[in-house]
Amino acid sequence: MALHNDQSGALRLFRSEALERLSVVSLTAFCATWAVALPVIAFVGLSTAGFDLLVAPLFCAGVLVWSLFEYAMHRFAFHWSSEVAFVRSAVFVLHGNHHVNSNDPLRNLMPPIVSIPIAAAVWGLCVLALGASGTWLFLGFISGYVFYDVIHFGCHQWPMKGRIANVLKRHHMRHHHGSEAGNFAITTPLWDKLFGSTIKSQRKRSTAS
């Protein structure tokens, strides 16, 4: 159950102090985590699969897979509507709280307690499917994730004044202030256009999502 923090006004998700601390992450801690993790993954790829002509295609394929996963995850998992109380609570903890307090800088990035286990599982699946070369596919996938989360953080915390950056921020803000039933992609509006979920207005309207 979500609680309001009386001192700061920030949204509190857990009564337990330990769980609450694990549910947030600063930009500094996020960057430090992945500044270590990404080179380690690349080193494992070099050590187990080597560096050959497949590296670039597999890496790019991983980025593409992430991009589609990002859209599907946001659209179908993070906005899952269910009559089951446990599912509703899980969705709120994972994402719903972000719509209640979207500009909390400590909840604009996925905490490692969630992202690391999921990343490990995806890595295992990639290696299971492709052998050692699967690490290069995974490196593209997880690099796409890190880029996604930094862009998402920027949409809420930075001016995003560049032409492309401004387009991405405007696209995401329409999801928050126009309709939660559209603009699910963060790093590219392409998928929303292809799948017919583009929101063109930032004016809030009622939705069934």
Side-chain angles (χ1 to χ4, degrees), residues 54-204:
L54 289 176
V55 172
L58 285 172
F59 181 89
C60 291
V63 173
L64 178 62
V65 171
W66 163 260
S67 184
L68 280 165
F69 179 80
E70 166 198 319
Y71 176 86
M73 174 184 65
H74 192 183
R75 179 171 184 173
F76 299 110
F78 285 178
H79 286 275
W80 185 5
S81 179
S82 173
E83 298 299 321
V84 180
F86 172 77
V87 174
R88 290 201 306 270
S89 296
V91 170
F92 183 82
V93 168
L94 283 173
H95 188 70
N97 71 88
H98 174 57
H99 280 271
V100 175
N101 189 4
S102 62
N103 291 324
D104 183 346
L106 296 180
R107 295 197 189 279
N108 286 159
L109 298 159
M110 188 65 73
I113 191 65
V114 176
S115 59
I116 295 296
I118 294 175
V122 173
W123 193 352
L125 288 173
C126 290
V127 172
L128 186 64
L130 299 176
S133 295
T135 294
W136 296 121
L137 179 71
F138 172 69
L139 182 61
F141 181 91
I142 205 65
S143 296
Y145 157 71
V146 172
F147 180 69
Y148 147 85
D149 235 357
V150 171
I151 290 296
H152 181 250
F153 182 91
C155 285
H156 289 281
Q157 303 298 330
W158 299 334
M160 304 284 277
K161 292 182 178 180
R163 185 170 66 88
I164 295 176
N166 183 259
V167 167
L168 295 177
K169 179 167 184 169
R170 187 168 63 249
H171 183 80
H172 186 55
M173 288 303 100
R174 286 171 178 166
H175 172 72
H176 279 276
H177 305 294
S179 171
E180 294 178 18
N183 284 22
F184 299 106
I186 304 297
T187 53
T188 172
L190 173 64
W191 303 122
D192 285 297
K193 291 180 180 178
L194 286 178
F195 297 119
S197 54
T198 298
I199 301 299
K200 297 181 179 180
S201 173
Q202 194 165 305
R203 291 182 299 174
K204 198 71 174 180

